[in-house]
Amino acid sequence: MENNVQPASLTHFVRQEPFDPYAVETDRGGTSDLDQASQLRLMWWRFRRHKPALISGILLIAAYVMILFVEFLAPYRVHTRHMDYIYAPPQSVHLFHEGSFVGPFVYGMSMKLDMVTLQRVYSEDTSKVQPIRFFCRGENYHFWGMVKSDLHLVCPAKEGQMFLMGTDRLGRDMLSRIIYGARISLTIGLLGVTTSFVLGIIIGGLAGYWGGWFDLVTQRVIEMLHSIPSIPLWLALAAIMPADWSPLLIYLGITFILGLLDWTGLARAVRSKLFSLREEDYVLAAQLMGAGSARIIGRHLIPGFMSHLIASATLTIPSMILGETTLSFLGLGLRPPITSWGVLLTEARTVSIVALYPWLLLPVVPVIFVILAFNFLGDGLRDAADPYK
Amino acid sequence: MIRYILWRIMVMIPTLVMISMLIFTIIELPPGDYFESYVEELKAIGEKADMQEIEELRARYGFDQPEPIRYLNWVGGMLKGDFGYSFEYRMPVSDVVGDRVWLTILVSTVTIIVTWLIAFPIGIYSATHQYSWGDYGLTLLGLIGLAVPNFVLALVLMYLANIWFGTSIGHLMDQKYLNEPMSWDKFKSILEHIWIPVIIIGTAGTAGMVRRVRANLLDELHKQYVMTARAKGLHPFRVLIKYPLRMSLNFFISDIGSVLPHIISGAEITAVVLSLETTGPMLIRALQSQDMYLAGSFLMFLAFLTVIGVLVSDIALALLDPRIRLRGGSTK
Amino acid sequence: AYVDSDYVRRPDLKEPLPPIDQRLPKVPRVVKLEGDKAPGRLGGTIRMLIGGQRDIRYMPINGYSRLIGYNPKLELETDILESFEVKEERIFTFRLRDGHRWSDGSEFTTEDFRYVWEDMFLNKKLYKGGIPASLKVDGKAPKFEVLDRLTVRYTWEDPNPDFLADVASPSPTRLMHPAAYLKQFHPKYQTPEKLAELVAKSRVEDWVALHQLKSRVVRPENPALPTLDPWCNRTEPPSGQFIFERNPYFHRVDEKGQQLPYIDRVLLDVSSPGIISAKAGTGESDLQVTNLDFSDYTFLKSAEQRYPITVDLWKRTQGSRMALIPNLNCKDPVWRGLFQDVRVRRALSLAIDRDEINKAVFYGLGQKSGNAILPDSPLYRDEYRLAWADLNLDKANALLDEVGLTKRNWDGIRLLPDGRPMTIIVESSGENAFETDVLELVNDHWLEIGVKIFIHISQRELLRRRIKGGDTIMTVGPGLDNGVPTPDMSPRELAPTSDDQQQWPLWGLYALSNGHDGKPPDLAEAIALQDLMGAWRRAPSSEERTRIWHEMLHIFTDQVFTIGIVNATLQPIVTARSLRNVPQKALYGFDPTAFLGVYMPDTFWLDKEAGK
Amino acid sequence: MTERGDLLRVENLSVSFPLWGGTIEAVRNLDMRIRPGKVTALVGESGSGKSVLGRAIMGIETPVARTSGQIIFNDPERDEPLDLLSLPHDGRKIRSIRGNRIGMIFQEPMTSFSPMHTIGNQIDEVLRVHSILSPGERRERCEDVLGRVGFENPGRAFDMYPFELSGGMRQRAMIAMALICRPALLIADEPTTALDVTIQAQILKLLREAQAKLGMAMLLITHDLGVVASMADEVVVVYRGQVMEAGTAEDIFRNPQHPYTRGLMQAVPDFNMARDERLKPLREIKVDTAGLMQRTGRTEAKTDIILSVRNVTKSFLPKRSQGFGARPSAPTVAVNDVSFDIKRGETLGLVGESGCGKTTMSKIIMRGLTANSGTVTYNGDNGPIDVLNAEGQALQELRTRIQMVFQDPVSSLSPRMPVRSIISEPLEIHARGDAKSRQEAVQRLIHAIGLPDSALSRYPHSFSGGQRQRIGIARALALGPDLIICDEPVSALDVSIQAQILNLMKDLKKELGLTYLFISHNLAVVNYMADRVAVMYAGRIVEIAPCEIIMRNPVHPYTKKLLAAVPLPNLDCPLDFEAIGQPSAAAKKVWATQFKDDGNPDSLIHADLGGGHWVLARRNVDARELRP
Ligand SMILES: Nc1ncnc2c1ncn2[C@@H]1O[C@H](COP(=O)(O)OP(=O)(O)OP(=O)(O)O)[C@@H](O)[C@H]1O
Ligand SMILES: Nc1ncnc2c1ncn2[C@@H]1O[C@H](COP(=O)(O)OP(=O)(O)OP(=O)(O)O)[C@@H](O)[C@H]1O
Ligand SMILES: [Mg+2]
Ligand SMILES: [Mg+2]
């Protein structure tokens, strides 16, 4: 095999540059605030680089801030009816009228009831230009049910209408209803997810980490909860919700129920993951340092599958937001006059709506946006928490 | 291992007893009983009910007895293979469930398989091509599926399917095959119809699965053992399949527990909307009309499946991950 | 010469049926098809959609073959009977058609009546309480006699004007059953061994259950049970599709001598209620009324263009499509006091803007009305309909002030005497989608008079129980069941007669139980109604009954015991374009029109030539 | 240089890692070459880019890394030289080289195996990819290799899971995996760090043989200059990703020119050093030991024995029962009736063969494992504590008083915590100081172990092996314990850092009276550190004595063999592979009869030879008989 010429051995090479044994220590070109930065800060820096996540985060914050001011943001109140504009389709916003710039405006609408099909046929009345007003006086409302005001972000022209997302069967403005609905839908998801995550992580974490009897018992409990499909559970739990609860209490109750039923899956996932993770040396190291179970689970084990958790959380939020639609379907859950996206969607649950008034399905759009935003946010968080990035 | 399985099976017994109690409470929880709801149902369209007959039925099925005795009767009956009597259908529960179980299993298995077949490749792709356009696009698509409530999707698809393909709305087959034995035509008809429920039930699940597979894979992809495997000269795809994927199956397997009962009960609301001939709508109906033996026995059956599912999941988890199986040395 | 459908001669029949004239009674009922109806052609299958297996119960109602039944003008006519005779409003003699047969070919005779009377009603096991309450007058049962093979007689001591109405009702007390078939399940006619075998085969507990199972006519679930209806069930439940086949022994023929029904088979497809309108709108039903709502109309109508269907609107017969019903027997003493005060009820009624509701929810096609009868009834008067039904907020406010409800809270809501805000919890079973809309509108209207409502939805049985227990203050329900009464129909809905009456369940129960249960009415007007009800029973002539009806209607509407909103609302009906003889305009309701019953679906026929 | 002759030429290679706030240039414009059939040693401090270079050659560096330059591989079985860097990433060609023509032994044997698959499965896989052997043949070959890397029962090892093996065993499995395809080039990244000297010798012998028989060339990355001296033909010295000095082993050892090389040479501990002589690291770190550890009210101890271990036994049940229902095989006795004492302020060295139960023993002391029997008593400030049964307050005290440095630096650091949190964690757990003072303490510690401040916000995976080990040490020091159990604390360190750390530990001991249980394979280090040394073999302590006695006057044949196997950084005393390179099981056969148990473990007791010198021998033997 030695058919090659054996290469000559190395000549003795010595680097001639001056040698500084301390050079290594200055090697890392980090800035000093980087050195001081806490773990959170670091995560934030990394998070910032993930543009979709950043945008999503901002959007979500905006959305949550928005729900504080829905009365101001919505052009109409939730329940304001326009009997002359039942099932009006969305109006489009124009800028130019007959070639000249007017600013954003909508054309007036005229309605004709088709007596054969009993359908309301709307047509644009291009003679009526109704400019949209901003920061304007419109309908009265009670801000958070208390302070009386009539200031709106946008209002229709005086004596005019503006239904950018159309109206429903009572002539209520869908846009306003969607804006109002955000209040419940955005919080129900978060509350529910929090409930289920707190329960899931704590119970699953302890079961996975301690194992033994605790695990055995919780597993059986989970098994029991798992083994009963959610619908009967809902039916039963709804049956025991007192008849004279206020809508708000029912809302909280349902959120809690949603969360309460959801933790089992997560708990099992956490548990089985911890089963393998707890054998790692760093867990032993933490134990030997005297760390308690909570700390080990919380700081050492859980971060080890943050991705899964974040993915689960982002997946759970939509199912929470939409969970109430299922409930409403069964005649449980939220009901009008409470307005949430789920309620709005359940009101659109017949084929005739799909066929004739498809804009009533528009509440799906904010749901999609929120879910997308949560997902990208989740991705960003995941990456920010990922040391390998 | 065998001892472990035996021990787990032993544990199942008290669990099942507890579950049966829970189920019994659940179906007893709503006030009233079947007969009351039956009378109401009749009255709703203006009919009169024969109160005498109702009272007799009540007495015959022991509704005048205290609850613990009824519970014992029910459980005792089930142990003997008698699942009780459906008031609504006026026949033994086992006859009522009949065919529906098979159709349900068909729909659900197809859905689950389709979900897996789609979700795993996409999840793997998304994880390995993180933040590529493909990843974003697929994510978007999946999430839209997740964000649209099933019944909206069902309505829209149903409507479109009818307008575009002329497929009859809802159901698993053309009505004319309903009472017929299985035949090639019937099968074709089922194939024609099954895609709608599969899409509807599957989308949300697929999207969720994709996200989870992706997330779990991302956690594993940077581990040292992946590098080792690459250093062996393995094809990257094989590396992926054998190591990180297997590691990330953990979550997936711990879910089996709920997959089994899902196969039977699955996606009730969709089934109701589409009026599929599956067990889901029947269960809801039974619950709502408080047809308690039907609901109870059916739930018990589901519970049994779950318990089996959890067992299978535990065993599979142990088989999959030796660290779980061989947990012995370190006792805290 | 009679003609029958080829269907009865189809090759897969095991035994050929006897010829047509042996299957018809000697004197069949000849149905005159006049007006927009005309004799049609035999044959064909139609499809209908039902919302659940139990909805096959619509078949005997729609089939509407009764001993005596109403015609579309709501006059009584003999149907199964060849003739009948009423003496002193208490002696009823029925004569059957000679040669009339059950759907299995066995003869239909007085034996079938006797069997029911002696072997069922009087059998302590089958009927613990003996003769059904609906046949008793003041707790006394009639005397039953078989006069001959074809004649029976029922004799009461006192007049029983309800009897014929019951016989003609959509679900009458069954006076006859196919004895020949049922005897095999009766220990009197069956050996114990064989009976035990049958019991075991059907997996029931005892012969009583077996007999009940096999003899159910309300839901024709037993394909083997012979019937007199136009179609008989051929499918064993459970199933997703029920096939009803023509009854080859049906007793009606058209003028041309063709045996009815025209349609050979009716297929009932089980669907979930939610998609029935969608399916009907895609031409999957040839005759559909149930599970369609007015709000589906536009969609259905637009589907006319795509599918060969016709959509018509019928008029619902309820006294009010939806009524708000204050519970005069509620437990809460404050509310009870208020509701028993007629001024409060009138004020609430006056404050509702019925025109707006009509316009918003019913496209202005309904009729603003209190809970009263429809113009289609001979008893109709505008004053009943409009009693306290015009929007008048001033008057309403004045009335409430008069009652003493003058104090208001910061929100403008009136305060009850005990200081609570005047918030009415309106409970509903929430089954009709439009209810919440209407309530939302009502809420806004009532806010104007300082009354707030809060809607609570609960399951129907739970709700019913709460009503009876006096736990509810106000509920939502349909108005009078029968909005098109004739003087001969019982005015029982106007007086306390039953515990189902949501405005006075306890008083109703008192009447129903003959004073054993519940409470006697203590409100003068209610007592008056009860007395009038008694008077109607004993009234010897139609004129007298008319007078009593008017008096009761006056009290009932003037007192606003129930707050009706809109009636004469419309009900869409979808028919295949080729289906003939379905009236375009008609009344729709359970009692007395038996849904489609009085329009005789057996005379509907498929015009195969009709353009698709 | 002949163009064709070099097996591998690295030309102008640069590898850098972009990080937020700057990039890390791990390798800069590096040139080097490897001759076929020769051993080129790559030495250099920890973090100087050695592993990165190795990974770059294999083309498996993480995709974030930016690589430029050329790596030309001239496979004798191919005609064409190949530029490995220009090959498509994970393409067919490069894959056919990886594992097949170039094998790699990873530095971290603990985590380099997938925990879900058996060792055998993972080794076998290489053959599956690169050969066309039948399963039976493959298994045969795997077992053969496993046997040759020193597994006594290769068939059993084949079916074991990585976490069932000791660190050294895993490393050997790793070596087996790298060798199985008989590559032309073996990149051995610290192949023997986890091995004791005897096994190390055995492995080195194996590598030698492979090299000779198959003409395999080797890139040997190591800190151990002794190993370099015994193995290398050529030596390349790198520092900060650059070559400082390169030449034949002769050149480097006999005539080191570059100050860095010379510095490294001087930092190696030597058997002939005086007891109190200090090692001379490249960079001396001045640390304020007093401020380093915050000790709480220290009272003068009453006893001078800080920890006493009595008759501790621990056995592991076999994990993989062969299918269902097979009879479980006999348990592994990892620690067998071990007793010893540690005196306050002393360093007890624990040496022994890989897999003899050292880690297990230390984990038992830490309460990380439960012993089957025996007692461990800790004499703390507040009186004796029964370690194995302590609960509550007493346990918490133990947790602050006894700390451990783990053998495997990778897996003992939480991968998702930045170094700052890792080091301050014990302080947080025991609520020492406030956030600010903890922050300061962390900075002092990180300086003490010679890492810059910027390291604080990085995650463990971005450090080199040695850096990680130091983080582990810093963490152990944080609480200011009395007793630190160091399980191979410096095995992953280069000599310079090792000197730094050892000095640090010595200073701490001197100034604060720390006590160490010092587990190591490196006898020179033990010699430098330990006051007394215990030698373990197969779960038993076979000899225990003050350091000088053991080193100069060993009695037990195993100790002798151990000492003989120490490679010295001196070309004049190479290892005698023939003598020491035989497996220990074989070597045991030739032990003198008085040390053999003849299948009855009870027949052996510890015989006192005086002066604190005990040795495990037959009950009835006279002490004098033991001395040769
Ligand atoms: N994935 C990575 N990301 C960022 N920096 C890295 C990465 N891998 C290695 N480094 C850095 O590159 C430098 C060289 O690391 P390398 O592992 O090659 O050192 P080494 O010479 O092998 O040291 P040791 O002897 O301690 O193992 C180190 O400073 C390390 O921090
Ligand atoms: N969790 C475990 N399960 C089963 N066997 C184990 C386990 N841990 C260690 N062993 C076995 O116990 C014996 C001693 O292992 P230990 O890790 O203590 O060795 P060691 O002396 O530290 O070796 P090294 O120097 O290679 O680290 C080995 O045979 C090993 O296979
Ligand atoms: Mg390295
Ligand atoms: Mg070890």
Side-chain angles (χ1 to χ4, degrees), chain A residues 299-332:
Chain A
R299 303 235 9 202
H300 296 263
L301 291 173
I302 298 294
F305 60 117
M306 218 50 197
S307 307
H308 182 85
L309 288 183
I310 291 178
S312 297
T314 46
L315 290 175
T316 312
I317 288 178
S319 68
M320 292 275 171
I321 294 182
L322 297 176
E324 45 139 338
T325 58
T326 312
L327 284 172
S328 316
F329 222 86
L330 296 173
L332 316 165

Side-chain angles (χ1 to χ4, degrees), chain A residues 50 268 278 307-308 383, chain B residues 131 211 214 216 219 313 327:
Chain A
H50 194 296
R268 256 190 87 75
R278 70 171 187 186
S307 307
H308 182 85
D383 283 355
Chain B
Y131 301 138
R211 300 301 291 169
R214 175 179 182 271
N216 277 280
D219 274 352
S313 143
R327 158 174 41 120

Side-chain angles (χ1 to χ4, degrees), chain C residues 76 84-93 137 142 154-165 487-489 535-545:
Chain C
L76 286 176
F84 70 99
E85 192 185 332
V86 184
K87 274 199 198 130
E88 300 162 31
E89 297 287 319
R90 58 178 198 91
I91 305 168
F92 299 81
T93 314
V137 173
Y154 296 86
T155 314
W156 277 270
E157 285 173 27
D158 297 313
N160 186 7
D162 277 348
F163 184 52
L164 289 186
D488 293 334
M489 294 179 189
W536 179 88
R537 274 238 178 89
R538 290 181 297 275
S541 68
S542 237
E543 291 73 50
E544 181 66 5
R545 288 198 280 268

Side-chain angles (χ1 to χ4, degrees), chain C residues 226-268:
Chain C
T227 163
L228 300 172
D229 289 341
W231 293 281
C232 35
N233 181 19
R234 286 286 168 259
T235 314
E236 189 98 41
S239 172
Q241 185 182 48
F242 288 86
I243 299 173
F244 279 72
E245 246 175 35
R246 67 181 302 129
N247 173 359
Y249 296 90
F250 195 55
H251 62 283
R252 298 180 196 159
V253 294
D254 70 1
E255 291 142 292
K256 288 176 160 177
Q258 305 185 84
Q259 189 189 21
L260 296 176
Y262 288 127
I263 305 287
D264 289 335
R265 292 196 312 158
V266 180
L267 306 185
L268 299 180

Side-chain angles (χ1 to χ4, degrees), chain A residues 28, chain D residues 17 19 24 26 44-53 55 61-62 107 189-190 223 458 461-467 492:
Chain A
R28 312 273 171 268
Chain D
F17 298 94
L19 286 178
I24 291 181
E45 273 188 312
S46 170
S48 53
K50 306 183 295 291
S51 302
V52 170
L53 174 67
R55 288 201 294 266
E61 191 48 276
T62 55
Q107 188 171 11
D189 194 353
E190 312 277 10
H223 296 308
R458 282 159 59 194
H461 77 100
S462 71
F463 290 91
S464 72
Q467 289 166 333

Side-chain angles (χ1 to χ4, degrees), chain D residues 160-233:
Chain D
M160 277 163 98
Y161 287 98
F163 56 93
E164 292 177 272
L165 302 178
S166 78
M169 291 158 110
R170 277 185 239 185
Q171 189 155 42
R172 281 179 276 160
M174 187 80 225
I175 294 169
M177 190 158 91
L179 287 180
I180 191 136
C181 266
R182 300 172 183 149
L185 172 65
L186 177 70
I187 302 173
D189 194 353
E190 312 277 10
T192 56
T193 35
L195 304 180
D196 66 299
V197 279
T198 52
I199 305 239
Q200 170 175 313
Q202 193 183 327
I203 293 296
L204 293 178
K205 178 179 166 214
L206 175 75
L207 293 177
R208 258 272 148 83
E209 280 165 10
Q211 186 196 350
K213 260 207 245 129
L214 312 170
M216 179 179 80
M218 191 152 81
L219 176 65
L220 179 68
I221 302 175
T222 182
H223 296 308
D224 192 334
L225 293 180
V227 172
V228 175
S230 339
M231 294 286 291
D233 299 305

Side-chain angles (χ1 to χ4, degrees), chain A residues 1-40 42-43 45-46 49 276 279-292 295-296 298-307 382 384-389, chain D residues 2 4-6 20-22 24 28 33 35-36 38 45 76 214-215 234-236 239-240 242-248 251-252 255 257-260 282-284 363 366-368 396 399 402-404 406 408 411-418 420-421 425-426 428-430 439 443 450 452-454 456-459 461 467 475 479:
Chain A
M1 86 182 319
E2 300 272 291
N3 43 8
N4 289 325
V5 192
Q6 181 69 31
S9 53
L10 272 185
T11 45
H12 194 165
F13 162 85
V14 182
R15 186 170 284 271
Q16 293 310 324
E17 289 153 39
F19 169 69
D20 170 17
Y22 291 92
V24 255
E25 301 192 351
T26 56
D27 253 9
R28 312 273 171 268
T31 48
S32 66
D33 56 337
L34 188 71
D35 303 344
Q36 301 304 319
S38 66
Q39 190 172 358
L40 277 181
L42 286 172
M43 283 174 61
W45 283 340
R46 263 181 304 197
R49 292 190 313 180
S276 35
E279 302 294 320
E280 301 272 342
D281 255 0
Y282 60 83
V283 176
L284 184 65
Q287 281 166 1
L288 300 191
M289 273 185 271
R295 186 182 188 92
I296 293 182
R299 303 235 9 202
H300 296 263
L301 291 173
I302 298 294
F305 60 117
M306 218 50 197
S307 307
R382 202 199 74 83
D386 184 356
Y388 299 96
K389 283 275 155 194
Chain D
T2 34
R4 187 79 181 97
D6 293 334
W20 69 101
I24 291 181
R28 324 170 183 212
R33 62 200 183 91
R35 289 190 295 148
K38 297 288 180 206
E45 273 188 312
L214 312 170
E234 285 162 13
V235 181
V236 177
Y239 173 61
R240 294 174 60 214
Q242 284 172 315
V243 178
M244 291 292 130
E245 189 167 356
T248 55
D251 292 337
I252 300 291
N255 183 18
Q257 294 280 311
H258 198 276
Y260 180 65
L282 263 170
R283 294 173 282 275
E284 191 62 75
K363 284 188 179 164
M366 290 300 295
R367 281 282 297 274
Q396 280 304 310
R399 293 289 184 229
I402 311 182
Q403 291 291 323
M404 174 156 180
F406 282 80
D408 178 16
S411 62
S412 66
L413 301 178
S414 274
R416 291 184 185 253
M417 277 194 182
R420 178 193 325 280
S421 310
E425 183 166 32
E428 283 168 32
I429 292 174
H430 297 284
Q439 173 81 15
Q443 268 170 11
D453 271 346
S454 63
L456 283 179
S457 35
R458 282 159 59 194
Y459 289 89
H461 77 100
Q467 289 166 333
R475 173 171 68 179
L479 278 177

Side-chain angles (χ1 to χ4, degrees), chain C residues 212-227:
Chain C
Q212 276 169 354
L213 186 72
K214 295 292 182 187
S215 64
R216 269 166 75 82
V217 273
V218 180
R219 268 155 66 176
E221 282 169 345
N222 178 8
L225 180 69
T227 163

